[in-house]
C-alpha cells in the first residue's frame, strides 16, 4: 500500500513538473507584454464606461472583453513553435513518440484553460464595476471566437514556423473578418456575432437558432484547424533541418 502511494506521489510530482515546465515555454518571454496590454485595454475601456453618460449593457460588456481575450490567446498559440526553437528543445520534442498528443495537445489545453479563467475574472470584475452580467455564459460564449482564432494561430504556426510571420497572417485575417462583420451582422457566419444582442424584428427562437449555428460552425472550424496543425507536426523534416 505504501509503495503504491509513493508511486502515485512520484507520478503527481512528475506531472506537476511537466505542467510547470510547459507553462514556462508556452507563457514565457513576450507573453507578459500581451497580458499587460490586455489588462491595460480592459481597464481603460472599463474606466471610460464608468464615467460615460450612456448605460452599459450586457452586449457591450461582451464586446469589451473580446479584444483582451484575443490578446491573451494570441501569444501562446501563435509563437508556440518559435518558443520551442528559441528554447532549443524543438528537436528533442520531435524525438518523443506521438509528439502531437503528448506535448502540444497538452499545451493547447493549458493555454485555453488559463485564458478561460482570465476572461472569467474580467467578467466578474465587469459585474462588480459596471453591470450585473451572466459571468459563466459570457465566458463560455467568448471562448468560441477565442478557440477559433487560437486554433488558427496554432495551425498557421505549423505552416509558417515563425512567430512574427504567423502573427502577421492572423492579424490580417482578423482585420478582414472584422471588416466583413459589418455586412454579415446577424448572420451565423459572422465570427464576431454578439449572442447577447438580439436584432430588432427577430424573435428569440430564431435568434437562438442563429447563435447555435454560429457556435457549432466555428467550433467545428476550430477543431479542424487544431487537427490539421497537429498533423503538420508529424512532418518532422519540415521543422528539423
Amino acid at each position: 500500500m505504501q509503495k503504491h502511494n509513493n508511486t502515485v506521489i512520484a507520478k503527481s510530482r512528475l506531472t506537476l513538473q511537466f505542467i510547470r515546465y510547459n507553462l514556462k515555454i508556452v507563457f514565457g518571454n513576450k507573453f507578459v507584454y500581451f497580458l499587460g496590454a490586455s489588462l491595460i485595454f480592459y481597464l481603460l475601456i472599463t474606466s471610460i464606461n464608468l464615467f460615460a453618460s450612456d448605460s452599459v449593457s450586457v452586449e457591450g460588456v461582451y464586446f469589451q472583453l473580446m479584444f483582451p481575450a484575443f490578446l491573451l490567446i494570441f501569444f501562446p498559440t501563435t509563437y508556440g513553435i518559435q518558443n520551442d526553437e528559441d528554447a532549443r528543445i524543438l528537436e528533442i520534442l520531435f524525438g518523443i513518440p506521438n509528439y502531437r498528443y503528448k506535448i502540444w495537445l497538452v499545451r493547447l489545453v493549458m493555454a485555453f484553460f488559463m485564458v478561460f479563467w482570465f476572461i472569467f475574472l474580467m467578467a466578474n470584475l465587469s459585474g462588480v464595476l459596471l453591470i450585473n452580467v451572466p459571468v459563466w455564459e459570457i465566458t463560455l460564449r467568448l471562448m468560441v471566437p477565442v478557440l477559433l482564432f487560437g486554433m488558427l494561430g496554432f495551425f498557421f504556426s505549423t505552416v509558417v514556423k515563425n512567430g512574427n510571420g504567423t502573427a502577421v497572417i492572423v492579424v490580417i485575417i482578423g482585420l478582414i473578418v472584422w471588416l466583413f462583420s459589418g455586412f454579415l451582422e446577424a448572420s451565423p457566419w459572422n465570427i464576431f456575432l454578439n449572442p447577447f444582442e438580439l436584432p430588432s424584428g427577430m424573435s428569440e427562437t430564431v435568434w437562438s437558432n442563429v447563435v447555435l449555428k454560429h457556435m457549432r460552425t466555428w467550433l467545428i472550424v476550430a477543431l479542424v484547424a487544431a487537427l490539421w496543425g497537429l498533423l503538420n507536426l508529424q512532418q518532422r523534416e519540415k521543422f528539423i533541418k
Side-chain angles (χ1 to χ4, degrees):
M1 184 67 180
Q2 185 176 0
K3 184 178 180 180
H4 174 72
N5 291 335
N6 291 336
T7 303
V8 172
I9 293 173
K11 288 183 177 180
S12 299
R13 287 177 178 174
L14 286 174
T15 302
L16 288 174
Q17 290 175 359
F18 172 80
I19 292 174
R20 191 182 301 113
Y21 177 75
N22 280 281
L23 282 174
K24 288 181 180 179
I25 298 296
V26 175
F27 292 101
N29 301 326
K30 300 177 184 177
F31 178 71
V32 65
Y33 300 111
F34 289 91
L35 176 61
S38 176
L39 293 175
I40 291 172
F41 179 85
Y42 169 77
L43 293 174
L44 178 63
I45 299 300
T46 301
S47 300
I48 293 174
N49 287 330
L50 277 173
F51 298 102
S53 57
D54 299 333
S55 60
V56 181
S57 61
V58 176
E59 55 266 27
V61 172
Y62 178 87
F63 275 132
Q64 176 187 338
L65 295 175
M66 183 177 287
F67 186 70
F70 286 155
L71 283 177
L72 288 171
I73 198 60
F74 185 80
F75 178 77
T77 55
T78 302
Y79 284 86
I81 301 299
Q82 183 172 317
N83 287 344
D84 281 341
E85 187 173 358
D86 292 343
R88 301 180 183 277
I89 62 171
L90 189 61
E91 188 167 0
I92 296 174
L93 292 177
F94 270 98
I96 302 174
N98 296 323
Y99 165 84
R100 54 181 172 175
Y101 299 112
K102 290 188 176 180
I103 304 296
W104 255 103
L105 192 56
V106 174
R107 287 183 177 182
L108 288 172
V109 171
M110 288 192 298
F112 286 110
F113 179 81
M114 296 288 288
V115 171
F116 174 89
W117 288 110
F118 273 119
I119 298 173
F120 181 79
L121 290 174
M122 288 189 291
N124 270 291
L125 189 57
S126 295
V128 173
L129 298 176
L130 300 175
I131 185 178
N132 186 30
V133 296
V135 175
W136 282 104
E137 185 178 2
I138 278 187
T139 305
L140 291 171
R141 299 283 191 186
L142 271 171
M143 286 304 294
V144 175
V146 168
L147 280 166
L148 175 64
F149 279 100
M151 290 307 185
L152 286 176
F154 167 65
F155 163 71
F156 283 112
S157 72
T158 64
V159 176
V160 180
K161 301 182 290 294
N162 177 271
N164 294 328
T166 305
V168 171
I169 293 175
V170 174
V171 169
I172 291 175
I173 292 175
L175 290 175
I176 293 173
V177 171
W178 181 262
L179 291 174
F180 277 97
S181 65
F183 299 100
L184 295 172
E185 294 184 348
S187 168
W189 300 106
N190 180 11
I191 295 176
F192 297 110
L193 181 76
N194 191 329
F196 299 96
E197 189 174 7
L198 177 65
S200 58
M202 183 180 292
S203 67
E204 291 187 8
T205 303
V206 175
W207 180 239
S208 296
N209 291 332
V210 170
V211 172
L212 181 62
K213 183 178 179 181
H214 166 265
M215 293 177 60
R216 184 170 55 239
T217 299
W218 296 115
L219 285 176
I220 291 173
V221 173
L223 178 62
V224 171
L227 294 176
W228 198 343
L230 291 171
L231 287 173
N232 286 342
L233 289 175
Q234 302 309 296
Q235 302 172 17
R236 183 180 185 276
E237 65 280 358
K238 290 188 176 182
F239 294 85
I240 307 299
K241 298 178 180 180

